[in-house]
């Protein structure tokens, strides 16, 4: 049996509903600021989320727009400018309006910290976005809580490639089974599994009904111990605890491909 030593946190959709409450809004405001009539509604954005990374998402969208610039060089330049503006809009929105942490997240982070577990951020999003969100909730010293932060700029290949997890494990000097990843998207789960890291999935707004396989536990959110598979033993009520995470981690041999 391997002891759980670290939690690897996804950001978008897992720590906060940033896709719903921040990124989509910021993309649309960036289109508007550049005089473009393009808008991404919620349903279409849900479809675009299958492409990880904001630049990659813009490029994929432009590839099927008749009114996108004709040459690859022009499209690349437009992607860069839109993404630069979108990042500025998103970080301002996070700092000025605030996007709350999902219920139960704060409790588990604090409990893990008090218990001496190590914590890292493993995300596809840009470092500026992580800094805005974690700075808002944990203050400028957020790196004292998350000792490693691997972001979009730090990898050659974004999720579902395992690189972000492999880099985090290397920085922590841990093997995959000593960690648990917390992820909300099929791409994030695929990335963790490809790195052989066990994954727990608190479902997010955009992936509430997505097919997600291979997790050691999947449920409605960290705010409740009810509705999880495998079910949590003991008295119900309250958020998912570190004990619960450790129990799933110990049971993983019997519930997933980790056996
Ligand atoms: C998150 C993403 C990110 C954000 C936007 O995926 O795909 O691209 O939507 O961030 P995950 P940037 O939660 O799996 O890490 O625009 O900075 O790329
Ligand atoms: Mg996510």
């Amino acid at each position: 049996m391997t002891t759980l030593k670290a939690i690897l946190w996804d950001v978008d959709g897992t720590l906060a509903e940033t896709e719903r409450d921040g990124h989509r809004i910021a993309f649309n405001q960036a289109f508007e600021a550049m005089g473009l009539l393009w808008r991404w509604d919620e349903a279409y954005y849900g479809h675009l989320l299958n492409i990880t990374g904001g630049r990659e998402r813009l490029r994929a969208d432009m590839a099927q727009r008749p009114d996108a610039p004709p040459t690859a060089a022009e499209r690349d330049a437009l992607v860069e400018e839109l993404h630069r503006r979108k990042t500025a809009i998103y970080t301002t929105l996070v700092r000025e309006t605030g996007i709350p942490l999902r219920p139960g997240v704060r409790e588990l982070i604090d409990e893990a910290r008090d218990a001496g577990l190590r914590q890292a951020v493993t995300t596809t999003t840009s470092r500026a976005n992580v800094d805005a969100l974690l700075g808002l909730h944990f203050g400028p010293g957020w790196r004292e809580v998350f000792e490693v932060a691997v972001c979009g700029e730090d990898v050659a290949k974004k999720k579902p490639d395992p690189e972000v997890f492999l880099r985090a494990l290397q920085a922590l000097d841990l093997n995959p089974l000593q960690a648990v990843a917390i992820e909300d998207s099929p791409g994030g789960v695929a990335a963790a599994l490809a790195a052989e890291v066990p994954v727990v999935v608190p479902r997010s707004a955009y992936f509430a009904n997505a097919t997600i396989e291979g997790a050691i536990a999947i449920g409605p959110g960290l705010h409740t111990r009810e509705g999880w598979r495998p079910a949590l033993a003991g008295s119900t009520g309250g958020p998912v605890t570190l004990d619960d995470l450790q129990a799933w981690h110990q049971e993983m041999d019997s519930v997933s491909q980790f056996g």
Side-chain angles (χ1 to χ4, degrees):
M1 186 186 304
T2 312
T3 307
L4 179 62
K5 294 267 174 58
I7 303 176
L8 311 181
W9 290 94
D10 172 47
V11 175
D12 295 311
T14 299
L15 290 182
E17 289 285 7
T18 46
E19 299 290 7
R20 186 190 63 192
D21 300 338
H23 290 297
R24 186 183 71 87
I25 293 162
F27 279 116
N28 283 334
Q29 288 184 12
F31 296 143
E32 193 177 356
M34 292 197 69
L36 293 162
L37 296 177
W38 307 343
R39 298 292 182 271
W40 291 348
D41 66 22
E42 280 194 31
Y44 182 58
Y45 193 64
H47 165 74
L48 284 177
L49 280 179
N50 292 318
I51 301 149
T52 53
R55 286 187 189 80
E56 292 81 353
R57 202 165 290 145
L58 285 165
R59 208 166 286 125
D61 178 59
M62 275 184 214
Q64 49 82 50
R65 277 190 190 275
D67 56 340
T71 69
E74 284 172 300
R75 282 199 296 277
D76 284 349
L78 184 55
V79 164
E80 281 312 308
E81 182 57 19
L82 279 169
H83 194 260
R84 191 187 65 74
R85 287 179 187 239
K86 176 260 177 183
T87 302
I89 293 165
Y90 175 86
T91 53
T92 303
L93 186 153
V94 168
R95 291 201 172 96
E96 290 180 1
T97 311
I99 297 181
L101 294 176
R102 290 183 62 192
V105 163
R106 180 89 211 197
E107 289 89 331
L108 187 56
I109 290 172
D110 287 349
E111 198 189 351
R113 188 186 190 188
D114 291 346
L117 239 78
R118 303 171 74 193
Q119 301 190 75
V121 164
T122 40
T123 180
T124 286
T125 208
S126 304
R127 187 167 291 273
N129 301 343
V130 176
D131 196 40
L133 187 74
L134 297 186
L136 173 74
H137 292 290
F138 296 92
W142 63 266
R143 284 299 300 269
E144 286 159 28
V145 183
F146 302 95
E147 65 173 278
V148 167
V150 187
C151 304
E153 296 91 332
D154 304 322
V155 295
K157 290 186 181 168
K158 293 179 178 171
K159 300 172 189 175
D161 192 278
E163 183 177 350
V164 61
F165 289 103
L166 298 176
R167 285 190 185 276
L169 291 169
Q170 191 176 33
L172 293 164
D173 193 23
L174 294 176
N175 75 53
L177 295 185
Q178 292 175 303
V180 158
I182 306 192
E183 275 285 352
D184 70 304
S185 69
V189 171
L193 295 181
E196 302 189 334
V197 177
V199 200
V200 167
V201 179
R203 284 193 180 272
S204 61
Y206 268 114
F207 297 108
N209 299 309
T211 302
I212 297 181
E213 282 169 1
I216 61 166
I218 184 161
L222 296 172
H223 60 291
T224 177
R225 300 182 72 247
E226 297 191 35
W228 284 84
R229 280 183 298 125
L232 286 163
S235 57
T236 53
V240 169
T241 65
L242 184 55
D243 274 354
D244 296 330
L245 209 61
Q246 281 163 336
W248 283 324
H249 185 256
Q250 280 176 20
E251 288 165 18
M252 66 183 161
D253 294 354
S254 58
V255 296
S256 73
Q257 82 286 8
F258 293 99

